[in-house]
Amino acid sequence: MESQMSATAHPAAPAAIRKAITGASIGNAVEWFDFAIYGFLATYIAAKFFPAGNDTAALLNTFAIFAAAFFMRPLGGFVFGPLGDRIGRQRVLAVVILLMSAATLGIGLLPTYASIGVAAPLLLLFLRCLQGFSAGGEYGGGAVYLAEYARDRNRGLTVTFIAWSGVVGFLLGSVTVTVLQALLPASAMDSYGWRIPFLIAAPLGLVGLYIRLRLDDTPQFAALAETDRVASSPLREAATTAWRPILQVIGLFIVFNVGYYVVFTFLPTYFIKTLEFGKTASFVSMSLASLVALVLILPLAALSDRIGRRPLLIGGAAAFVVLAYPLFLLLTSGSLAAAITAHCVLAAIESVYVSTAVTAGVELFATRVRYSGFSIGYNVSVAAFGGTTPYVVTWLTATTDNNLAPALYLVVAAVVSLATLLTLRESAGRPLAGTAGADVRR
């Protein structure tokens, strides 16, 4: 087994670690900017790409296409994960950002339903699926890349820059859309302004590609390549030797994904459509919730390096179980101040979980199959419980006529993840599996 290798990678220099963090984080922020603007522009997309007459049906169709992209993510994980374990992490990360940005640019150029009829939503579906396919190699690849550069004592902080940069991307997407809405007349925003954030993807993608092409591969993968121990069939090896960690990652990320997409994708629309607050109020709440996450995630990640991953993960999941329903009661109380407060507290709870889950997930796998194993587990979970969340909670709210339905869905997700967490061993401060000094029983 690769975990019994005598060869090991030399620890990366601090300058190399900073370069790795910059490259992975900037690229990931670009990816999540591309994904986020679709959610922020959902009401415009619904009006442009579906027949007029039923706003709720059009919005549900828009979120269904949002979810469809996530069903492509496992396929992307199955393709890019093994590829990253065979040819290296850096090359795959360069490819996926190029694909994502090209697909996002395509959405910005699409003709509408009024112009080409049913072909418009079909082309939108294709481009969203291409986004999902590329994203299947992005998040897991970036997390693995940083984990393999990080030092054992601060791996949590280093890896969590990937999650932090995702929130940055979401916030930039929100700010971009809102600034356009403020600067453009409503007629201009409806006519062409909604396309501008998608068109921005082209230069952002080129910047991200340039940065990633200048990165080196990780010391651990380089050590594998030098000793000719790169897995020849990483997908099969992951399925046969790492099936238990893959299942653990799926369970671990259920509440991660449900919470993330409730807080950062569903609630902005919920503020407008269900709570009947204005778009400005929705933007203010979204921005404050994002700032809460940006402030908390990295310090909490550093804390996980000191006290361990399990206390924070269990605390975050338990907080959702206990507080999700009361916080949604606060959201629906009719007070804008109360709703924004509830949104920010939900973001804080999600930050506790986000700050630790990615690191805990990548630490479960050996180097030979780390990209494959983590990408498959993460993307299966995000397909089933992430991209579907806006659709499911919108449907539950409309079907039950209960504005608190999203809270119940969040509680159930937290209970399942909490049960998974009880099966995990503490991994903070230990060498990654597959390096000298690692616990071969992991």
Side-chain angles (χ1 to χ4, degrees):
M1 281 296 296
E2 183 259 347
S3 58
Q4 297 170 312
M5 287 168 52
S6 58
T8 187
H10 296 293
I17 295 174
R18 289 193 296 270
K19 182 180 177 182
I21 290 173
T22 300
S25 298
I26 290 178
N28 189 60
V30 171
E31 293 267 2
W32 287 100
F33 172 89
D34 293 353
F35 251 85
I37 55 177
Y38 184 94
F40 297 134
L41 293 166
T43 53
Y44 292 97
I45 293 169
K48 293 297 180 183
F49 289 94
F50 297 97
N54 188 331
D55 290 346
T56 299
L59 189 60
L60 281 171
N61 287 332
T62 302
F63 280 140
I65 290 181
F66 182 85
F70 283 79
F71 288 118
M72 291 296 293
R73 291 182 65 141
L75 179 59
F78 278 105
V79 172
F80 291 119
L83 196 61
D85 282 327
R86 282 204 307 270
I87 69 171
R89 286 64 162 120
Q90 178 266 343
R91 293 180 184 176
V92 173
L93 287 174
V95 170
V96 295
I97 194 172
L98 187 61
L99 283 177
M100 170 68 86
S101 298
T104 307
L105 175 63
I107 293 175
L109 298 173
L110 270 184
T112 63
Y113 186 90
S115 300
I116 60 173
V118 72
L122 290 177
L123 287 170
L124 177 65
L125 175 62
F126 169 76
L127 291 171
R128 283 291 298 166
C129 287
L130 183 58
Q131 282 186 321
F133 180 71
S134 64
E138 166 60 35
Y139 202 84
V144 167
Y145 189 84
L146 292 183
E148 293 180 354
Y149 258 107
R151 296 176 183 270
D152 295 338
R153 67 178 181 272
N154 57 10
R155 187 182 305 117
L157 177 59
T158 302
V159 172
T160 305
F161 271 98
I162 211 73
W164 183 80
S165 67
V167 180
V168 172
F170 264 84
L171 182 58
L172 288 176
S174 175
V175 169
T176 300
V177 171
T178 305
V179 167
L180 285 170
Q181 289 173 333
L183 295 179
L184 294 176
S187 58
M189 189 68 192
D190 184 68
S191 174
Y192 66 86
W194 65 271
R195 295 182 182 274
I196 294 173
F198 293 102
L199 300 179
I200 291 173
L204 288 179
L206 289 174
V207 170
L209 178 64
Y210 172 77
I211 291 170
R212 287 189 168 178
L213 288 174
R214 293 171 61 86
L215 295 176
D216 298 319
D217 222 316
T218 69
Q220 289 198 20
F221 184 82
L224 275 185
E226 288 172 6
T227 56
D228 199 26
R229 290 182 176 269
V230 174
S232 59
S233 182
L235 183 60
R236 181 174 59 190
E237 188 171 318
T240 55
T241 67
W243 59 268
R244 186 172 184 269
I246 290 173
L247 292 177
Q248 287 175 317
V249 166
I250 293 172
L252 172 68
F253 278 88
I254 290 175
V255 75
F256 178 105
N257 287 304
V258 171
Y260 201 91
Y261 287 96
V262 163
V263 173
F264 296 111
T265 300
F266 170 72
L267 281 184
T269 302
Y270 185 79
F271 262 68
I272 298 168
K273 291 292 186 179
T274 303
L275 304 182
E276 297 182 347
F277 295 124
K279 290 182 179 179
T280 300
S282 175
F283 166 72
V284 169
S285 187
M286 177 63 196
S287 298
L288 290 175
S290 298
L291 288 172
V292 166
L294 288 174
V295 169
L296 291 180
I297 285 175
L298 293 180
L300 287 169
L303 181 62
S304 80
D305 284 323
R306 294 175 62 86
I307 69 172
R309 320 291 185 221
R310 295 181 81 248
L312 289 174
L313 290 170
I314 292 172
F320 272 132
V321 172
V322 174
L323 296 176
Y325 193 82
L327 287 171
F328 265 81
L329 284 174
L330 196 59
L331 271 169
T332 56
S333 65
S335 164
L336 177 59
I340 291 174
T341 299
H343 194 178
C344 290
V345 175
L346 285 167
I349 296 172
E350 178 67 8
S351 299
V352 174
Y353 205 86
V354 166
S355 68
T356 313
V358 180
T359 309
V362 296
E363 287 173 335
L364 292 171
F365 298 94
T367 307
R368 282 167 63 94
V369 297
R370 186 168 294 122
Y371 202 151
S372 301
F374 182 73
S375 291
I376 291 167
Y378 172 76
N379 286 301
V380 167
S381 188
V382 78
F385 303 103
T388 59
T389 290
Y391 181 91
V392 169
V393 293
T394 299
W395 179 83
L396 284 173
T397 302
T399 302
T400 64
D401 197 26
N402 180 2
N403 292 340
L404 301 175
L408 301 177
Y409 188 63
L410 186 50
V411 168
V412 172
V415 168
V416 176
S417 288
L418 190 57
T420 303
L421 290 170
L422 299 179
T423 71
L424 296 184
R425 293 179 56 188
E426 184 55 66
S427 54
R430 298 182 179 184
L432 289 171
T435 60
D439 184 351
V440 297
R441 297 170 297 175
R442 283 159 62 99

